[in-house]
Amino acid sequence: MAHMTTNDEYPSRSSDQPVIIPRKDPVWYRTDPPVEGPLSVEQLTRYDQDGYLLLEHLLSREEVEELLAELERVWASHQSSRAPEVVREPEGDAIRSIFRVHQTNPIFNRLSLDSRILGAARQLLGGDVYVHQSRINLKPGFTGKEFYWHSDFETWHVEDGMPHMRALSFSVLLDDNLPFNGSLMVMPGSHQEYVAAVGRTPKDHYKESLRRQAYGVPDQNSLTHLYRRYGLAMTTGAAGSVLMFDCNLMHGSASNITPLSRRNVFLVYNSVQNPPVAPFSGEAPRPSFAAAREAQLIVM
Amino acid sequence: MAHMTTNDEYPSRSSDQPVIIPRKDPVWYRTDPPVEGPLSVEQLTRYDQDGYLLLEHLLSREEVEELLAELERVWASHQSSRAPEVVREPEGDAIRSIFRVHQTNPIFNRLSLDSRILGAARQLLGGDVYVHQSRINLKPGFTGKEFYWHSDFETWHVEDGMPHMRALSFSVLLDDNLPFNGSLMVMPGSHQEYVAAVGRTPKDHYKESLRRQAYGVPDQNSLTHLYRRYGLAMTTGAAGSVLMFDCNLMHGSASNITPLSRRNVFLVYNSVQNPPVAPFSGEAPRPSFAAAREAQLIVM
């Protein structure tokens, strides 16, 4: 009965004025007894405060090399693919991301079940989770494009119908992320505020938005507010490190003109207590390669 | 007689194949007796090796504030200007740079004569110099565009007819240059190699090239060679610092999506021994606001 209608706790793209709404959900979903897992209380506490955590050198060099080889293999085999999972750069035909790799590829599937990652997701989200989205990304050298500031949750809420903030992302770094090759910038603590964007969502927006941002983009005043309050950090780390961050953390990245590519595997977990409902945009949901429509429990 | 014809020591944009030519000119033009000036032998030696030097906190806070106020005043007064000195962003009408400010504005003129800057130029270039180019730049927050890798000398040689590498630039930082707001990246030592670009220079190329780079751009293989040999450094520094760099240093900058603008005054000095000749492109030279056509000695 409670699920017959779902209140929109985080309205966005429904007004001409930007609004900032305080977060209404926990970041770290504490349970009693606590969910066991790889993160220490200190790490959980830091994540709770900052909205992100870098797990340095989580993967061994051998694991990185195996994942890199697989990423390159999948990349090469999709060069002329017209599958919707293959998303290309706004200018030109270069592949930007390949989605749903945790279901289509045994090596990335295994990674999505790795206890160092899945276990951390379970600890933070307070129990069972499923993969909301997975993809491999290549931000190439010389021509890597910037990715403007955004909260993932804004999109997942409006376009996918994710009702609450009970999801998080893991970026598995397969190249060194340095201050100058387009590494992710975050506003630590900004996950406590939700920036509702102005405007409406056009139909089939995802086809364009996965390539280039246009709707759901935070306004400059709100970003300036967040910056003044929380500052800015660049999340650099060696290959094999894993960056985890909350679904509502404000993040973005500059362009990459260095010769150094930045490849990663991206895994998003959502709590099984937080399954998607009808998108709050009123439009059809994005296809399941971009956002799983069912909370498929992962059996560890 | 020697100046009747000028050999092209650094041919570029004249072949379909990129070529790397070793530098044929000194970096630090040592004289006997040495030219007196503000730089120590250690600083001169470091500049000679790296091709750049950051003079931290060269200007006081009061000086920075005066220059900033003047920059903002000039900026505001040129909003609707159609003068060719006012160069706008490739997309939209926002001003990117205003040129020739050392001649049109008393405060920037005084800066171009400041012994801390002019004296350093004289020391490195071995005597009398003149201003080849001056401009004020604003790399705005949120929307600052990347500036791809280039050697200034390649353009000054091909499009302005500067025969030899005997010039250098000063970027007077009026905002903090941080790792994440589009600060200049350099390849230290790369000033020892000249990357000849492929293709030809179109007529009136400058109108477009000051806004957006297209010709004279180094190829990816040459950049990868330079990167492997010299690595990469980001030139961060507090407002009031001055970055000086050789005319042939490979440099570029990423986009700036942070709320922090990056404003600076840019001054280029050339030796009076190195006056411009007819451009090696065979085309008409760029107008004098972008590149002085006469070596006008500065009397200190």
Side-chain angles (χ1 to χ4, degrees), chain A residues 194-247:
Chain A
Y194 176 74
V195 180
V198 298
R200 310 243 164 217
T201 313
K203 203 177 162 189
D204 279 351
H205 172 50
Y206 77 91
K207 287 182 187 166
E208 200 51 31
S209 75
L210 294 178
R211 307 180 77 183
R212 176 179 0 224
Q213 294 150 297
Y215 294 85
V217 172
D219 64 295
Q220 294 188 356
N221 284 342
S222 298
L223 287 172
T224 302
H225 158 83
L226 291 182
Y227 173 75
R228 289 198 180 131
R229 187 149 182 184
Y230 301 108
L232 196 156
M234 191 168 263
T235 61
T236 54
S241 301
V242 174
L243 177 70
M244 22 186 322
F245 58 99
D246 179 79
C247 59

Short mmCIF file of all heavy atoms in Angstrom, two decimals, chain A residues 194-247:
data_model
loop_
_atom_site.label_atom_id
_atom_site.label_comp_id
_atom_site.label_asym_id
_atom_site.label_seq_id
_atom_site.Cartn_x
_atom_site.Cartn_y
_atom_site.Cartn_z
N TYR A 194 20.72 19.11 -1.85
CA TYR A 194 20.22 18.67 -3.16
C TYR A 194 19.87 19.89 -3.99
O TYR A 194 19.04 20.70 -3.59
CB TYR A 194 18.98 17.80 -2.95
CG TYR A 194 18.31 17.35 -4.23
CD1 TYR A 194 18.88 16.35 -5.01
CD2 TYR A 194 17.09 17.90 -4.63
CE1 TYR A 194 18.25 15.92 -6.17
CE2 TYR A 194 16.46 17.46 -5.78
CZ TYR A 194 17.05 16.47 -6.55
OH TYR A 194 16.43 16.04 -7.69
N VAL A 195 20.54 20.05 -5.12
CA VAL A 195 20.29 21.19 -5.98
C VAL A 195 19.25 20.80 -7.02
O VAL A 195 19.52 20.02 -7.94
CB VAL A 195 21.58 21.67 -6.69
CG1 VAL A 195 21.28 22.86 -7.58
CG2 VAL A 195 22.66 22.02 -5.66
N ALA A 196 18.04 21.32 -6.84
CA ALA A 196 16.98 21.07 -7.81
C ALA A 196 17.24 21.95 -9.04
O ALA A 196 17.49 23.15 -8.92
CB ALA A 196 15.63 21.41 -7.21
N ALA A 197 17.23 21.33 -10.20
CA ALA A 197 17.55 22.05 -11.43
C ALA A 197 16.29 22.68 -12.02
O ALA A 197 15.16 22.26 -11.71
CB ALA A 197 18.18 21.10 -12.44
N VAL A 198 16.48 23.66 -12.85
CA VAL A 198 15.34 24.33 -13.50
C VAL A 198 15.01 23.63 -14.81
O VAL A 198 15.77 22.83 -15.32
CB VAL A 198 15.66 25.82 -13.75
CG1 VAL A 198 15.89 26.55 -12.43
CG2 VAL A 198 16.84 25.98 -14.67
N GLY A 199 13.85 23.95 -15.35
CA GLY A 199 13.47 23.42 -16.66
C GLY A 199 12.79 22.07 -16.57
O GLY A 199 12.55 21.55 -15.48
N ARG A 200 12.46 21.52 -17.71
CA ARG A 200 11.78 20.22 -17.79
C ARG A 200 12.67 19.22 -18.52
O ARG A 200 13.59 19.59 -19.21
CB ARG A 200 10.46 20.34 -18.57
CG ARG A 200 9.59 21.46 -18.11
CD ARG A 200 8.26 20.94 -17.56
NE ARG A 200 7.61 21.99 -16.80
CZ ARG A 200 6.92 21.79 -15.68
NH1 ARG A 200 6.76 20.57 -15.21
NH2 ARG A 200 6.37 22.78 -15.04
N THR A 201 12.35 17.95 -18.37
CA THR A 201 13.11 16.92 -19.07
C THR A 201 12.46 16.60 -20.41
O THR A 201 11.30 16.19 -20.43
CB THR A 201 13.13 15.62 -18.24
OG1 THR A 201 13.44 15.96 -16.89
CG2 THR A 201 14.15 14.65 -18.78
N PRO A 202 13.17 16.75 -21.51
CA PRO A 202 12.56 16.37 -22.78
C PRO A 202 12.44 14.85 -22.87
O PRO A 202 13.13 14.11 -22.17
CB PRO A 202 13.55 16.88 -23.83
CG PRO A 202 14.59 17.65 -23.11
CD PRO A 202 14.54 17.24 -21.67
N LYS A 203 11.58 14.41 -23.75
CA LYS A 203 11.37 12.99 -23.98
C LYS A 203 12.66 12.36 -24.54
O LYS A 203 13.37 12.99 -25.32
CB LYS A 203 10.24 12.83 -25.01
CG LYS A 203 9.54 11.50 -24.95
CD LYS A 203 8.39 11.47 -25.95
CE LYS A 203 7.99 10.03 -26.22
NZ LYS A 203 7.04 9.92 -27.31
N ASP A 204 12.94 11.12 -24.16
CA ASP A 204 14.13 10.42 -24.63
C ASP A 204 15.40 11.22 -24.42
O ASP A 204 16.35 11.16 -25.21
CB ASP A 204 14.00 10.08 -26.13
CG ASP A 204 13.15 8.82 -26.33
OD1 ASP A 204 12.84 8.16 -25.32
OD2 ASP A 204 12.81 8.52 -27.48
N HIS A 205 15.40 11.96 -23.33
CA HIS A 205 16.54 12.83 -23.04
C HIS A 205 17.84 12.04 -22.92
O HIS A 205 18.92 12.53 -23.26
CB HIS A 205 16.26 13.59 -21.73
CG HIS A 205 17.41 14.37 -21.21
ND1 HIS A 205 18.14 15.24 -22.01
CD2 HIS A 205 17.98 14.42 -19.98
CE1 HIS A 205 19.09 15.79 -21.27
NE2 HIS A 205 19.03 15.31 -20.06
N TYR A 206 17.73 10.79 -22.43
CA TYR A 206 18.95 10.03 -22.13
C TYR A 206 19.85 9.85 -23.35
O TYR A 206 21.07 9.82 -23.23
CB TYR A 206 18.58 8.65 -21.56
CG TYR A 206 18.12 7.67 -22.60
CD1 TYR A 206 19.04 6.83 -23.22
CD2 TYR A 206 16.79 7.60 -22.99
CE1 TYR A 206 18.61 5.93 -24.19
CE2 TYR A 206 16.38 6.73 -23.94
CZ TYR A 206 17.29 5.89 -24.56
OH TYR A 206 16.88 5.03 -25.52
N LYS A 207 19.25 9.74 -24.55
CA LYS A 207 20.07 9.50 -25.75
C LYS A 207 21.10 10.60 -25.91
O LYS A 207 22.21 10.38 -26.35
CB LYS A 207 19.19 9.44 -27.00
CG LYS A 207 18.38 8.18 -27.09
CD LYS A 207 17.54 8.14 -28.36
CE LYS A 207 16.60 6.94 -28.33
NZ LYS A 207 15.56 7.02 -29.36
N GLU A 208 20.67 11.81 -25.58
CA GLU A 208 21.58 12.95 -25.68
C GLU A 208 22.39 13.12 -24.40
O GLU A 208 23.58 13.38 -24.44
CB GLU A 208 20.74 14.20 -25.99
CG GLU A 208 21.49 15.37 -26.57
CD GLU A 208 22.36 15.01 -27.79
OE1 GLU A 208 22.04 14.09 -28.57
OE2 GLU A 208 23.40 15.67 -27.92
N SER A 209 21.72 12.94 -23.25
CA SER A 209 22.37 13.32 -21.98
C SER A 209 23.54 12.43 -21.63
O SER A 209 24.45 12.85 -20.93
CB SER A 209 21.36 13.31 -20.83
OG SER A 209 21.06 11.99 -20.45
N LEU A 210 23.55 11.17 -22.09
CA LEU A 210 24.69 10.31 -21.81
C LEU A 210 25.90 10.80 -22.60
O LEU A 210 27.03 10.50 -22.26
CB LEU A 210 24.38 8.86 -22.18
CG LEU A 210 23.29 8.18 -21.34
CD1 LEU A 210 23.04 6.77 -21.85
CD2 LEU A 210 23.66 8.13 -19.87
N ARG A 211 25.66 11.55 -23.66
CA ARG A 211 26.75 12.06 -24.48
C ARG A 211 27.13 13.48 -24.06
O ARG A 211 28.27 13.86 -24.07
CB ARG A 211 26.35 12.09 -25.95
CG ARG A 211 25.82 10.78 -26.47
CD ARG A 211 25.44 10.87 -27.93
NE ARG A 211 26.62 10.85 -28.78
CZ ARG A 211 26.58 10.98 -30.10
NH1 ARG A 211 25.43 11.18 -30.72
NH2 ARG A 211 27.68 10.95 -30.81
N ARG A 212 26.15 14.28 -23.72
CA ARG A 212 26.39 15.70 -23.49
C ARG A 212 25.32 16.18 -22.52
O ARG A 212 24.15 15.88 -22.66
CB ARG A 212 26.23 16.42 -24.85
CG ARG A 212 26.34 17.89 -24.75
CD ARG A 212 26.21 18.61 -26.09
NE ARG A 212 26.01 17.85 -27.29
CZ ARG A 212 26.65 18.10 -28.44
NH1 ARG A 212 27.55 19.05 -28.51
NH2 ARG A 212 26.38 17.40 -29.52
N GLN A 213 25.71 16.94 -21.50
CA GLN A 213 24.74 17.39 -20.51
C GLN A 213 23.99 18.61 -20.99
O GLN A 213 24.57 19.52 -21.56
CB GLN A 213 25.45 17.73 -19.21
CG GLN A 213 26.09 16.54 -18.53
CD GLN A 213 27.31 16.98 -17.75
OE1 GLN A 213 28.27 17.45 -18.33
NE2 GLN A 213 27.26 16.82 -16.45
N ALA A 214 22.72 18.67 -20.70
CA ALA A 214 21.95 19.86 -21.07
C ALA A 214 20.89 20.15 -20.01
O ALA A 214 20.78 21.27 -19.53
CB ALA A 214 21.31 19.68 -22.43
N TYR A 215 20.15 19.12 -19.57
CA TYR A 215 19.11 19.32 -18.56
C TYR A 215 19.60 18.73 -17.23
O TYR A 215 20.46 17.87 -17.21
CB TYR A 215 17.80 18.66 -19.00
CG TYR A 215 17.25 19.35 -20.21
CD1 TYR A 215 17.68 18.99 -21.49
CD2 TYR A 215 16.35 20.40 -20.07
CE1 TYR A 215 17.20 19.66 -22.60
CE2 TYR A 215 15.87 21.07 -21.18
CZ TYR A 215 16.30 20.69 -22.43
OH TYR A 215 15.83 21.36 -23.52
N GLY A 216 19.02 19.21 -16.16
CA GLY A 216 19.44 18.71 -14.86
C GLY A 216 20.79 19.27 -14.44
O GLY A 216 21.40 18.78 -13.49
N VAL A 217 21.25 20.30 -15.14
CA VAL A 217 22.55 20.90 -14.82
C VAL A 217 22.35 21.93 -13.72
O VAL A 217 21.46 22.78 -13.81
CB VAL A 217 23.15 21.57 -16.08
CG1 VAL A 217 24.40 22.35 -15.72
CG2 VAL A 217 23.45 20.53 -17.14
N PRO A 218 23.15 21.87 -12.65
CA PRO A 218 22.98 22.86 -11.57
C PRO A 218 23.35 24.26 -12.06
O PRO A 218 24.25 24.41 -12.89
CB PRO A 218 23.98 22.39 -10.50
CG PRO A 218 24.61 21.15 -10.98
CD PRO A 218 24.24 20.92 -12.40
N ASP A 219 22.66 25.24 -11.53
CA ASP A 219 22.92 26.63 -11.91
C ASP A 219 24.18 27.16 -11.21
O ASP A 219 24.60 26.63 -10.18
CB ASP A 219 21.71 27.50 -11.56
CG ASP A 219 21.47 27.52 -10.06
OD1 ASP A 219 21.15 26.45 -9.50
OD2 ASP A 219 21.67 28.58 -9.44
N GLN A 220 24.75 28.22 -11.76
CA GLN A 220 26.02 28.74 -11.25
C GLN A 220 25.91 29.29 -9.82
O GLN A 220 26.85 29.14 -9.03
CB GLN A 220 26.58 29.82 -12.19
CG GLN A 220 26.96 29.24 -13.56
CD GLN A 220 27.68 30.24 -14.45
OE1 GLN A 220 27.84 31.40 -14.10
NE2 GLN A 220 28.09 29.78 -15.62
N ASN A 221 24.78 29.89 -9.48
CA ASN A 221 24.63 30.41 -8.12
C ASN A 221 24.66 29.29 -7.09
O ASN A 221 25.30 29.40 -6.04
CB ASN A 221 23.33 31.21 -7.97
CG ASN A 221 23.43 32.57 -8.61
OD1 ASN A 221 24.54 33.06 -8.87
ND2 ASN A 221 22.29 33.17 -8.89
N SER A 222 23.95 28.21 -7.39
CA SER A 222 23.92 27.08 -6.46
C SER A 222 25.31 26.47 -6.33
O SER A 222 25.75 26.11 -5.23
CB SER A 222 22.92 26.02 -6.93
OG SER A 222 21.62 26.56 -6.95
N LEU A 223 26.02 26.36 -7.45
CA LEU A 223 27.37 25.79 -7.41
C LEU A 223 28.31 26.69 -6.61
O LEU A 223 29.16 26.20 -5.85
CB LEU A 223 27.91 25.61 -8.84
CG LEU A 223 27.28 24.47 -9.62
CD1 LEU A 223 27.73 24.50 -11.08
CD2 LEU A 223 27.62 23.12 -8.99
N THR A 224 28.15 28.00 -6.77
CA THR A 224 28.99 28.92 -6.00
C THR A 224 28.70 28.79 -4.51
O THR A 224 29.62 28.77 -3.68
CB THR A 224 28.76 30.37 -6.49
OG1 THR A 224 29.06 30.42 -7.89
CG2 THR A 224 29.64 31.35 -5.74
N HIS A 225 27.42 28.67 -4.17
CA HIS A 225 27.03 28.43 -2.77
C HIS A 225 27.72 27.17 -2.24
O HIS A 225 28.32 27.18 -1.16
CB HIS A 225 25.51 28.31 -2.68
CG HIS A 225 25.05 27.57 -1.45
ND1 HIS A 225 24.93 28.17 -0.22
CD2 HIS A 225 24.71 26.27 -1.27
CE1 HIS A 225 24.53 27.27 0.67
NE2 HIS A 225 24.38 26.12 0.05
N LEU A 226 27.62 26.08 -2.98
CA LEU A 226 28.23 24.83 -2.52
C LEU A 226 29.75 24.97 -2.40
O LEU A 226 30.36 24.50 -1.43
CB LEU A 226 27.91 23.68 -3.49
CG LEU A 226 26.46 23.19 -3.55
CD1 LEU A 226 26.35 22.02 -4.53
CD2 LEU A 226 25.94 22.76 -2.19
N TYR A 227 30.35 25.62 -3.39
CA TYR A 227 31.81 25.78 -3.36
C TYR A 227 32.25 26.56 -2.13
O TYR A 227 33.20 26.20 -1.45
CB TYR A 227 32.30 26.46 -4.64
CG TYR A 227 33.76 26.80 -4.55
CD1 TYR A 227 34.72 25.80 -4.67
CD2 TYR A 227 34.18 28.10 -4.27
CE1 TYR A 227 36.07 26.09 -4.54
CE2 TYR A 227 35.52 28.39 -4.14
CZ TYR A 227 36.46 27.39 -4.27
OH TYR A 227 37.79 27.67 -4.14
N ARG A 228 31.54 27.66 -1.85
CA ARG A 228 31.92 28.49 -0.68
C ARG A 228 31.77 27.71 0.61
O ARG A 228 32.53 27.86 1.55
CB ARG A 228 31.06 29.75 -0.63
CG ARG A 228 31.43 30.70 -1.76
CD ARG A 228 30.93 32.12 -1.51
NE ARG A 228 31.33 32.97 -2.62
CZ ARG A 228 30.52 33.79 -3.27
NH1 ARG A 228 29.25 33.91 -2.90
NH2 ARG A 228 30.96 34.52 -4.27
N ARG A 229 30.75 26.87 0.63
CA ARG A 229 30.48 26.14 1.87
C ARG A 229 31.40 24.92 2.03
O ARG A 229 31.81 24.60 3.14
CB ARG A 229 29.02 25.68 1.84
CG ARG A 229 28.55 25.06 3.12
CD ARG A 229 27.08 25.32 3.34
NE ARG A 229 26.62 24.76 4.59
CZ ARG A 229 25.36 24.79 4.99
NH1 ARG A 229 24.44 25.36 4.22
NH2 ARG A 229 25.01 24.27 6.13
N TYR A 230 31.68 24.24 0.93
CA TYR A 230 32.36 22.95 1.03
C TYR A 230 33.74 22.91 0.39
O TYR A 230 34.49 21.96 0.63
CB TYR A 230 31.49 21.85 0.40
CG TYR A 230 30.13 21.73 1.03
CD1 TYR A 230 28.97 22.15 0.38
CD2 TYR A 230 30.00 21.20 2.32
CE1 TYR A 230 27.73 22.05 0.98
CE2 TYR A 230 28.76 21.09 2.93
CZ TYR A 230 27.62 21.51 2.25
OH TYR A 230 26.40 21.40 2.84
N GLY A 231 34.06 23.89 -0.44
CA GLY A 231 35.34 23.85 -1.13
C GLY A 231 35.37 22.77 -2.19
O GLY A 231 34.31 22.26 -2.60
N LEU A 232 36.55 22.40 -2.58
CA LEU A 232 36.71 21.54 -3.75
C LEU A 232 37.93 20.65 -3.54
O LEU A 232 38.94 21.09 -3.00
CB LEU A 232 36.94 22.49 -4.93
CG LEU A 232 36.80 22.03 -6.36
CD1 LEU A 232 36.49 23.24 -7.23
CD2 LEU A 232 38.07 21.39 -6.81
N ALA A 233 37.84 19.41 -3.92
CA ALA A 233 38.99 18.50 -3.81
C ALA A 233 39.12 17.73 -5.11
O ALA A 233 38.13 17.41 -5.77
CB ALA A 233 38.79 17.52 -2.65
N MET A 234 40.36 17.48 -5.49
CA MET A 234 40.61 16.67 -6.67
C MET A 234 40.96 15.27 -6.21
O MET A 234 41.79 15.09 -5.32
CB MET A 234 41.75 17.28 -7.47
CG MET A 234 41.88 16.66 -8.82
SD MET A 234 42.98 17.62 -9.87
CE MET A 234 41.79 18.58 -10.79
N THR A 235 40.30 14.27 -6.78
CA THR A 235 40.46 12.90 -6.30
C THR A 235 41.51 12.17 -7.14
O THR A 235 41.18 11.40 -8.02
CB THR A 235 39.13 12.13 -6.39
OG1 THR A 235 38.75 12.11 -7.77
CG2 THR A 235 38.06 12.83 -5.59
N THR A 236 42.77 12.46 -6.85
CA THR A 236 43.84 11.78 -7.57
C THR A 236 44.20 10.49 -6.86
O THR A 236 44.01 10.35 -5.65
CB THR A 236 45.08 12.69 -7.64
OG1 THR A 236 45.42 13.11 -6.31
CG2 THR A 236 44.78 13.92 -8.47
N GLY A 237 44.71 9.52 -7.62
CA GLY A 237 45.08 8.25 -7.03
C GLY A 237 45.71 7.35 -8.08
O GLY A 237 45.47 7.51 -9.28
N ALA A 238 46.52 6.41 -7.61
CA ALA A 238 47.22 5.51 -8.53
C ALA A 238 46.26 4.48 -9.11
O ALA A 238 45.21 4.18 -8.53
CB ALA A 238 48.36 4.81 -7.80
N ALA A 239 46.61 3.93 -10.25
CA ALA A 239 45.85 2.83 -10.85
C ALA A 239 45.69 1.72 -9.81
O ALA A 239 46.63 1.42 -9.08
CB ALA A 239 46.56 2.31 -12.09
N GLY A 240 44.51 1.13 -9.75
CA GLY A 240 44.23 0.11 -8.75
C GLY A 240 43.51 0.66 -7.54
O GLY A 240 42.99 -0.10 -6.72
N SER A 241 43.48 1.98 -7.42
CA SER A 241 42.70 2.59 -6.35
C SER A 241 41.23 2.62 -6.76
O SER A 241 40.90 2.55 -7.94
CB SER A 241 43.19 4.02 -6.08
OG SER A 241 44.56 4.01 -5.72
N VAL A 242 40.37 2.71 -5.77
CA VAL A 242 38.94 2.74 -6.03
C VAL A 242 38.34 3.94 -5.32
O VAL A 242 38.53 4.12 -4.11
CB VAL A 242 38.25 1.44 -5.56
CG1 VAL A 242 36.74 1.54 -5.70
CG2 VAL A 242 38.77 0.24 -6.37
N LEU A 243 37.64 4.75 -6.08
CA LEU A 243 36.98 5.92 -5.52
C LEU A 243 35.52 5.59 -5.32
O LEU A 243 34.82 5.19 -6.26
CB LEU A 243 37.11 7.10 -6.48
CG LEU A 243 36.41 8.39 -6.06
CD1 LEU A 243 37.12 9.01 -4.87
CD2 LEU A 243 36.34 9.37 -7.22
N MET A 244 35.04 5.72 -4.08
CA MET A 244 33.62 5.51 -3.83
C MET A 244 32.99 6.85 -3.49
O MET A 244 33.58 7.64 -2.75
CB MET A 244 33.35 4.50 -2.72
CG MET A 244 34.45 4.26 -1.74
SD MET A 244 34.14 2.90 -0.55
CE MET A 244 32.42 3.08 -0.18
N PHE A 245 31.81 7.12 -4.02
CA PHE A 245 31.17 8.39 -3.67
C PHE A 245 29.66 8.27 -3.67
O PHE A 245 29.06 7.50 -4.40
CB PHE A 245 31.65 9.54 -4.55
CG PHE A 245 31.45 9.39 -6.02
CD1 PHE A 245 30.39 9.99 -6.67
CD2 PHE A 245 32.36 8.66 -6.78
CE1 PHE A 245 30.22 9.88 -8.04
CE2 PHE A 245 32.21 8.53 -8.16
CZ PHE A 245 31.13 9.14 -8.78
N ASP A 246 29.07 9.09 -2.82
CA ASP A 246 27.63 9.10 -2.60
C ASP A 246 26.89 9.58 -3.86
O ASP A 246 27.39 10.42 -4.61
CB ASP A 246 27.32 10.03 -1.42
CG ASP A 246 25.85 10.12 -1.14
OD1 ASP A 246 25.30 9.19 -0.51
OD2 ASP A 246 25.21 11.11 -1.59
N CYS A 247 25.67 9.09 -4.03
CA CYS A 247 24.87 9.40 -5.22
C CYS A 247 24.55 10.89 -5.34
O CYS A 247 24.25 11.36 -6.43
CB CYS A 247 23.58 8.60 -5.21
SG CYS A 247 22.54 8.89 -3.75
#
